[in-house]
């Protein structure tokens, strides 16, 4: 089944210790998104890649970076995690060639910061 | 500013009862509206979009531009409808950057 895969599903990191979350897709979609969802809150877009073009949301902290080495993979790097960065991180993909297209979500990675 | 409001955190109904999950939005222009659903232990997935004007799993949603609402309705709830429902909007142009509401948990009891 074509899908969006996120690894790991659960990640524990220490305060200030860099962490990387990964996302891969078999859908061959041209856009990949990263969302942050804190407890009882709405998913919030951090940034997205349209092909190789990186688009950062204005209010995404500098602490969050992303890499997309190829069509299939996208990484979320948190350089110095704080306690406030504990959240569910959702990766999504879509094929955007004009019009409205569905976003396909991965299962998420739950990040705990100790 | 773009915003989606779902006033109910939890909606609890009995099987066979009508369901209406409320969604209001603020957007300067004509957004595209969606309902996404997350069943227990499953990923977030699209339920329906307003431009399709279709009924999915018995659910419908009508965009009311005058009231800036996009409420999700189903005449007879089923237990398998129990899930978290998110209303979302996006600009009709650009890369479909979704703005989500905080979600409503629907619990359908037998």
């Amino acid at each position: 089944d074509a899908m969006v895969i996120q690894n790991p599903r659960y990640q524990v990191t220490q305060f200030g210790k860099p962490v990387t979350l990964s996302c891969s897709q078999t859908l061959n979609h041209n856009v990949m998104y990263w969302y942050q969802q804190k407890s009882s809150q709405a998913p919030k877009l951090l940034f997205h890649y349209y092909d190789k073009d990186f688009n950062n949301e204005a209010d995404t902290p500098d602490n969050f970076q992303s890499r997309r080495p190829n069509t299939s993979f996208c990484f979320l790097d948190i350089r110095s995690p704080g306690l406030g960065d504990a959240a569910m991180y959702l990766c999504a993909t879509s094929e955007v060639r004009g019009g409205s297209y569905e976003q396909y979500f991965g299962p998420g990675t739950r990040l705990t910061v100790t | 500013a773009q915003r989606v409001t779902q006033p109910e955190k939890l909606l609890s109904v009995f099987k066979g009862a009508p369901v209406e999950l409320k969604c209001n939005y603020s957007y300067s222009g004509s957004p595209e509206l969606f309902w996404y659903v997350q069943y227990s232990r499953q990923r977030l997935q699209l339920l329906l979009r307003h431009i399709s004007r279709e009924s999915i799993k018995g659910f419908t949603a009508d965009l009311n531009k005058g009231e800036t609402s996009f409420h999700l309705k189903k005449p007879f709830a089923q237990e398998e409808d129990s899930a978290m429902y998110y209303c979302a909007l996006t600009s009709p142009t650009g890369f479909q950057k979704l703005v989500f509401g905080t979600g409503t948990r629907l619990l359908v009891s037998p």
Side-chain angles (χ1 to χ4, degrees), chain A residues 1-7 9 23-29 32 71-73 91-94 104-107, chain B residues 43:
Chain A
D1 265 350
M3 57 172 43
V4 181
I5 302 159
Q6 290 189 244
N7 286 307
R9 296 291 305 277
C23 177
S24 63
Q25 55 137 339
T26 60
L27 298 160
N28 205 34
H29 285 170
M32 295 187 77
T71 301
S72 301
F73 285 87
C91 175
T93 72
S94 68
Y104 293 80
F105 284 82
Chain B
R43 61 193 67 200

Side-chain angles (χ1 to χ4, degrees), chain A residues 2 22 63 92 100:
Chain A
S22 73
N63 199 22
S100 176

Side-chain angles (χ1 to χ4, degrees), chain B:
Chain B
Q2 302 174 16
R3 182 172 297 186
V4 176
T5 302
Q6 293 179 253
E8 302 142 327
K9 283 192 173 181
L10 172 66
L11 184 62
S12 186
V13 302
F14 288 106
K15 177 182 174 181
V19 169
E20 181 178 66
L21 288 81
K22 296 189 187 310
C23 172
N24 289 88
Y25 66 90
S26 64
Y27 185 85
S28 54
S30 297
E32 293 188 13
L33 274 295
F34 304 84
W35 278 98
Y36 277 78
V37 61
Q38 188 167 26
Y39 300 102
S40 179
R41 297 189 190 89
Q42 294 187 27
R43 61 193 67 200
L44 197 58
Q45 58 188 291
L46 179 66
L47 179 62
L48 54 80
R49 68 194 83 181
H50 89 270
I51 60 170
S52 299
R53 296 182 176 273
E54 55 192 349
S55 173
I56 304 293
K57 299 184 178 183
F59 284 98
T60 59
D62 292 320
L63 179 60
N64 185 322
K65 293 183 179 180
E67 296 184 358
T68 59
S69 69
F70 188 56
H71 303 325
L72 184 67
K73 300 178 184 180
K74 185 169 183 176
F76 307 104
Q78 303 299 314
E79 291 181 65
E80 54 266 30
D81 296 328
S82 296
M84 193 74 178
Y85 291 81
Y86 292 93
C87 183
L89 68 75
T90 185
S91 163
T93 61
F95 304 112
Q96 208 196 35
K97 294 162 52 173
L98 288 171
V99 175
F100 284 91
T102 50
T104 297
R105 181 168 297 283
L106 175 64
L107 181 61
V108 182
S109 304

Side-chain angles (χ1 to χ4, degrees), chain A residues 9-57:
Chain A
R9 296 291 305 277
Y10 300 90
Q11 176 74 58
V12 180
T13 190
Q14 293 178 337
F15 182 94
K17 184 174 181 181
V19 65
T20 295
L21 310 181
S22 73
C23 177
S24 63
Q25 55 137 339
T26 60
L27 298 160
N28 205 34
H29 285 170
N30 56 357
V31 188
M32 295 187 77
Y33 309 80
W34 279 104
Y35 291 86
Q36 179 192 62
Q37 186 177 23
K38 296 186 177 180
S39 181
S40 301
Q41 295 186 23
K44 179 177 174 302
L45 183 65
L46 294 173
F47 26 59
H48 73 274
Y49 272 94
Y50 179 37
D51 290 329
K52 294 183 178 181
D53 293 333
F54 176 70
N55 297 270
N56 200 28
E57 292 301 297

